[in-house]
Amino acid sequence: MKLQLPGQKTRYWQVFWLCLLVAAALFLPHCIADAAAGGGYFHYAGDFNDQQINFYQYANSFVKQGGTFSWATDLGSGFVNSYSFYLLGSPFFWLSLLVPARFMPWMMVPLLCLKIALAGGGAYLWARRWVRDEEWSMVAGCLYAFSGFTVYNIFFNHFIDVVALFPYMLASLDDAVLSGKKGRFPFWVAVNLLNNYFFFAGQAVFLVIYFFCMLAGRAYKIGPRKFAALAGETVLGCALGCVLLLPAGLSLLQNPRTIDPFNGIGYLVYGKSQQYGAIFYSAFLMPDAPYFKDMFSEGILKHTSLTAYLPVVGTAGGLAFCRGRRSHPFTYILKVCIVCAFVPVLNSLFYALNSSYYARWYYMPVLVLCGATASLLARPNLARRELPRAWGLTLAVTLSAAAFGLVPYTDDDGVTTLGVTDEPARFWAILGVTVLGLLLFGVLWHFFRDCQRWPTVLLAAVLAFSFVYGSVHLSLTKYAQCDTDSDLIAQTYDSVEEVRAALPDDTFYRIDAYGAHNNLGLWFDKSCLQFFNSTVAPSIMEFYPEVGVKRDVNSKPEVKNYALRGLLSVRYTLVAKDKEADWQTEKLDGWTLVNSTTAYQIYENENWVPMGFAGQYYITQEQLDALNEENRAQALLRAVLLDEDQIAAYGDLLQPIPADRLTDFSQDAYAEDSAACRTGTVQSFTATRTGFTAETNYDSDRLVFFSVPYDDGFTAIINGTPARLEKVDDGLMALRVPAGQASITCTYHTPGLRTGTTVSLATLVVYAAYLVVLKKKKKL
């Protein structure tokens, strides 16, 4: 097998600019629509609106101001660990620092266009070695840039960073093994690791599959010496990325979401049979909106990135290639990945054996599928022999999906309708556009396959159809939530100055939100109970379930859990004006309307308890567990939860909670509990960008409770002397404060960051020396 790079001049920049222009054209109509609807920036749906836009603007501002601890992240969390999964290691985020934070919402689309263009260029660079025809390699690059996986994951935004950077790492691996080009692979390993450690874990698994399939297909020929050199470069690249990997790893080990193993038959079989159908059709139909279920109603289907669709060509090229080149490494890779997709434990290999279902690794076999398709089309004889049958099979399977829209269904009322799809119009639109693409491919193949300009014709068709199907997908995703998101900018960007002016800045407090969008705290730089981020301080995920609040990817305490607001120092609730009637029906005592803005009615909590207070009692875990979950927050206002060792250490400061204090959890009693807590509050509490400071003046030693998430990264100093922080209330913190005037300083240092930085910097020196040696030997 001849595996030399073509001698032709690279067309990388042609692919880059083509992808950039089509991506810009794809977003432009929606940007214009948003501007015409009232001015403002492009907003999409779901995670893009609630996380990606405000994460970028908040992180931009935070990094420029400096600090280690983010109070606006849920109840407060270390900044590095909260945002390294989303953006902190992304080169696109660091590029965005050139723009002022207030302009970041307008930069989301240009950044997306740049990512898509780089994805296409990277896929081209990787494919040209295997396709060995510049024009068909361009087709491969554009197919990858506008694959269903890419278009679907605009919803998540930072997933596109991974799509953009991965091909460069794969190309550098080929360079190292096949061309002896050393030094590039460690760089791209480090870039991909820093970009996203979660996706990198899956990339490592795929690279192992890729490597051994290349060996099996005899594309790679590697001896012990070359293997050792490659292993060394791999270790070098991983060490370069330790600056974020080590802190993230230490945090993830404490995060209950990462410890979710399979059990029994769950290793081998998905819990819902429809999951198999969804996986199967994900390669044939263009993707639906991430938050919809269409053909299948059972199984884990929403937000899973379950799509392997290619515009125009579909799976036809891949099927034909696998049939015609049975011993080719691409065939082996695709077959192994198909098996992985259908076996739960193999699918989970890409997510450290976590049983939560995702298909967020599909972009890697999709890249190989693009290469296989272009490689087939670059071989006219093979394509003539295999493609017609594969195209017919692909069309037939795609058309078979129509059965889901035609099968009769009788509901509980005896009414019979056609189809089992959730939204028939949406389903038929998706099916129709998909079939249109395949028919276009068939027509072009029939008329142009023998023409010299056949690659150019298909490239133009791929780009044009990507605009069409991409526009359909963006429209289905964006405008299905247009009512929900119509007030997004009004409640967030446009409300920043008004809300800050309406809320006092005299002391620390938290806010809550009712009927509003997620993550308002990031816009107003306040700790907010309603927060959507899956990588916050692990202790938050320990604490919330103890007080009856589900905490998975977001924090959403129900408004009826009123005592939780007092425990967590919530002073104001921002009620969206269009939801005020619903707020009134909650019939909550103790809230007073004190201010109003264009978007919000602002209510003050009469039972607000300032941050930091010393109580009289402690409660045991057994006593707390005996209470109903909805009463536990109020019990924790009355007594701090201690374990046996803590009781022994602080029993001289606190008394066991009396039995009569474990009853009567009414709102009147809550008002009394809050008033009692206020009598023991600290003199002052100041939140800083590295933790907090407090001043106290008690007449005796006291155990002071702070509703700050406990983290190993915190250190405490009282009057210049180190003090011990205690983890209480299943995730919050307290410390012993001496009698008299006391100054408390709690400082947060990201665990593992210093060590990780040291390793990365030391490795960088080694890497630089390595590059110098390679350059001298002309092996770079």
Side-chain angles (χ1 to χ4, degrees):
M1 183 182 294
K2 184 180 179 182
L3 294 172
Q4 296 180 350
L5 287 173
Q8 302 176 51
K9 183 179 178 180
T10 179
R11 299 190 182 184
Y12 176 87
W13 290 110
Q14 292 183 40
V15 178
F16 178 92
W17 288 112
L18 283 172
C19 292
L20 185 73
L21 291 172
V22 172
L26 184 60
F27 287 107
L28 183 60
H30 306 288
C31 293
I32 294 173
D34 284 336
Y41 48 82
F42 170 81
H43 52 279
Y44 193 33
D47 290 37
F48 188 92
N49 293 346
D50 290 341
Q51 287 189 321
Q52 304 302 322
I53 296 174
N54 43 34
F55 283 4
Y56 257 83
Q57 67 84 25
Y58 176 75
N60 184 302
S61 175
F62 191 95
V63 167
K64 289 174 180 177
Q65 295 178 55
T68 58
F69 192 77
S70 167
W71 284 99
T73 301
D74 210 302
L75 301 180
S77 295
F79 177 77
V80 170
N81 291 334
S82 295
Y83 295 98
S84 57
F85 166 68
Y86 291 97
L87 50 76
L88 194 55
S90 169
F92 302 101
F93 166 70
W94 289 98
L95 177 64
S96 76
L97 294 183
L98 297 172
V99 177
R102 67 182 182 277
F103 294 147
M104 275 314 304
W106 279 271
M107 285 301 299
M108 300 303 291
V109 166
L111 284 174
L112 277 168
C113 293
L114 175 62
K115 295 172 191 178
I116 291 172
L118 287 170
Y124 159 80
L125 286 179
W126 169 80
R128 68 193 298 253
R129 175 185 294 279
W130 304 99
V131 177
R132 289 178 288 142
D133 182 293
E134 292 298 312
E135 291 185 308
W136 287 115
S137 297
M138 292 176 67
V139 172
C142 293
L143 282 172
Y144 178 75
F146 295 102
S147 70
F149 191 93
T150 302
V151 173
Y152 178 107
N153 285 293
I154 290 170
F155 184 88
F156 296 107
N157 179 55
H158 68 292
F159 291 8
I160 308 298
D161 301 36
V162 183
V163 174
L165 297 174
F166 174 72
Y168 296 91
M169 180 167 65
L170 202 60
S172 68
L173 175 62
D174 288 341
D175 287 341
V177 176
L178 298 172
S179 301
K181 297 290 186 181
K182 299 179 180 179
R184 303 176 185 180
F185 187 56
F187 172 80
W188 287 111
V189 167
V191 169
N192 278 268
L193 174 54
L194 287 169
N195 177 60
N196 195 296
Y197 56 81
F198 173 80
F199 280 90
F200 184 80
Q203 290 171 348
V205 172
F206 183 81
L207 286 181
V208 172
I209 294 173
Y210 184 87
F211 181 81
F212 283 103
C213 287
M214 285 294 173
L215 288 176
R218 299 182 180 179
Y220 279 6
K221 295 180 181 179
I222 186 169
R225 186 174 179 179
K226 184 180 284 188
F227 181 82
L230 185 62
E233 289 206 336
T234 304
V235 172
L236 193 64
C238 291
L240 284 169
C242 270
V243 61
L244 292 181
L245 177 64
L246 190 56
L250 293 174
S251 179
L252 289 173
L253 288 174
Q254 303 176 59
N255 191 325
R257 287 197 72 219
T258 63
I259 306 171
D260 186 18
F262 287 98
N263 186 34
I265 199 171
Y267 283 96
L268 305 175
V269 180
Y270 291 112
K272 300 291 185 180
S273 60
Q274 292 187 23
Q275 192 78 37
Y276 293 98
I279 294 171
F280 177 76
Y281 277 102
S282 69
F284 292 91
L285 294 175
M286 64 165 278
D288 198 354
Y291 52 86
F292 282 141
K293 293 182 179 181
D294 223 336
M295 292 166 58
F296 303 97
S297 58
E298 296 181 1
I300 304 172
L301 306 174
K302 294 182 179 180
H303 306 111
T304 59
S305 304
L306 182 56
T307 175
Y309 173 74
L310 295 185
V312 181
V313 298
T315 59
L319 289 173
F321 183 89
C322 291
R323 181 178 175 84
R325 303 293 302 277
R326 297 177 188 272
S327 299
H328 194 280
F330 289 178
T331 302
Y332 294 152
I333 294 167
L334 292 173
K335 288 181 177 179
V336 169
C337 288
I338 289 171
V339 174
C340 288
F342 282 95
V343 179
V345 68
L346 297 180
N347 185 82
S348 70
L349 284 174
F350 299 91
Y351 310 108
L353 292 176
N354 192 295
S355 64
S356 298
Y357 178 79
Y358 291 111
R360 292 173 179 171
W361 57 278
Y362 279 21
Y363 65 98
M364 295 180 285
V366 162
L367 176 59
V368 176
L369 180 62
C370 294
T373 300
S375 182
L376 171 89
L377 293 171
R379 293 168 170 80
N381 293 334
L382 179 63
R384 287 192 190 93
R385 185 175 72 247
E386 301 292 347
L387 188 57
R389 183 185 300 178
W391 177 83
L393 178 61
T394 302
L395 181 61
V397 172
T398 304
L399 288 173
S400 71
F404 291 87
L406 298 174
V407 65
Y409 170 73
T410 304
D411 61 20
D412 294 337
D413 297 326
V415 178
T416 300
T417 56
L418 288 180
V420 292
T421 58
D422 185 42
E423 288 287 342
R426 190 177 70 239
F427 165 76
W428 288 112
I430 290 171
L431 179 60
V433 172
T434 305
V435 171
L436 177 64
L438 282 172
L439 292 177
L440 174 63
F441 183 40
V443 170
L444 294 178
W445 164 260
H446 179 76
F447 287 104
F448 293 98
R449 67 177 183 268
D450 295 322
C451 296
Q452 187 176 359
R453 54 198 177 101
W454 166 223
T456 304
V457 170
L458 185 59
L459 176 63
V462 167
L463 293 174
F465 185 78
S466 293
F467 172 79
V468 172
Y469 104 88
S471 297
V472 171
H473 178 84
L474 262 64
S475 298
L476 291 175
T477 305
K478 175 178 172 63
Y479 299 111
Q481 285 197 343
C482 60
D483 290 338
T484 302
D485 297 325
S486 61
D487 54 3
L488 174 73
I489 298 176
Q491 288 187 9
T492 54
Y493 188 89
D494 289 348
S495 289
V496 170
E497 297 303 323
E498 272 192 290
V499 170
R500 287 180 178 174
L503 296 178
D505 199 25
D506 53 346
T507 187
F508 176 88
Y509 54 85
R510 291 193 174 97
I511 62 172
D512 198 2
Y514 184 87
H517 289 275
N518 284 310
N519 295 336
L520 293 185
L522 296 179
W523 292 98
F524 309 137
D525 201 17
K526 295 285 185 184
S527 178
C528 181
L529 261 60
Q530 310 297 322
F531 197 80
F532 182 17
N533 179 323
S534 58
T535 54
V536 296
S539 55
I540 293 175
M541 301 191 179
E542 295 180 54
F543 166 73
Y544 268 132
E546 287 295 320
V547 292
V549 177
K550 180 182 178 182
R551 211 320 174 172
D552 42 24
V553 298
N554 53 20
S555 302
K556 284 186 175 295
E558 294 185 15
V559 67
K560 66 181 180 181
N561 198 340
Y562 51 84
L564 182 64
R565 274 65 184 178
L567 180 68
L568 298 180
S569 298
V570 174
R571 187 175 180 181
Y572 297 99
T573 292
L574 276 59
V575 179
K577 284 190 172 179
D578 61 343
K579 298 295 182 181
E580 188 176 16
D582 296 336
W583 167 265
Q584 297 295 341
T585 61
E586 300 284 355
K587 298 181 179 178
L588 298 173
D589 293 334
W591 291 92
T592 303
L593 179 64
V594 294
N595 214 327
S596 179
T597 69
T598 303
Y600 299 106
Q601 298 284 67
I602 300 177
Y603 286 81
E604 184 172 14
N605 183 7
E606 297 172 3
N607 298 309
W608 171 56
V609 179
M611 175 71 82
F613 63 87
Q616 301 179 33
Y617 306 114
Y618 69 81
I619 188 172
T620 66
Q621 189 68 58
E622 291 76 16
Q623 289 174 311
L624 189 68
D625 290 344
L627 300 175
N628 291 330
E629 288 183 343
E630 60 267 23
N631 295 329
R632 292 178 185 174
Q634 193 163 342
L636 293 176
L637 272 172
R638 300 172 181 177
V640 63
L641 174 63
L642 302 179
D643 61 27
E644 292 182 3
D645 292 338
Q646 291 169 332
I647 291 171
Y650 303 108
D652 61 323
L653 307 182
L654 300 169
Q655 305 171 26
I657 187 169
D660 63 353
R661 298 289 287 151
L662 294 175
T663 59
D664 187 12
F665 294 105
S666 64
Q667 288 200 4
D668 289 339
Y670 162 58
E672 295 174 2
D673 295 333
S674 300
C677 290
R678 285 195 292 273
T679 63
T681 55
V682 300
Q683 285 185 322
S684 67
F685 179 93
T686 303
T688 69
R689 301 184 72 79
T690 57
F692 64 89
T693 62
E695 300 288 333
T696 64
N697 189 8
Y698 295 110
D699 55 7
S700 62
D701 288 7
R702 304 295 294 271
L703 185 69
V704 180
F705 164 78
F706 295 95
S707 59
V708 180
Y710 180 87
D711 194 300
D712 293 337
F714 272 111
T715 56
I717 295 177
I718 301 179
N719 294 335
T721 303
R724 178 183 174 85
L725 283 166
E726 294 288 347
K727 183 179 182 179
V728 301
D729 288 7
D730 283 318
L732 305 180
M733 67 169 59
L735 73 164
R736 183 174 189 142
V737 176
Q741 195 69 36
S743 296
I744 303 168
T745 300
C746 286
T747 305
Y748 183 78
H749 301 280
T750 306
L753 182 61
R754 179 174 295 178
T755 303
T757 302
T758 301
V759 172
S760 291
L761 289 176
T763 307
L764 185 61
V765 174
V766 174
Y767 180 57
Y770 179 57
L771 293 179
V772 171
V773 172
L774 290 177
K775 188 172 183 180
K776 288 182 177 180
K777 293 184 177 181
K778 298 182 179 180
K779 292 185 177 181
L780 189 61

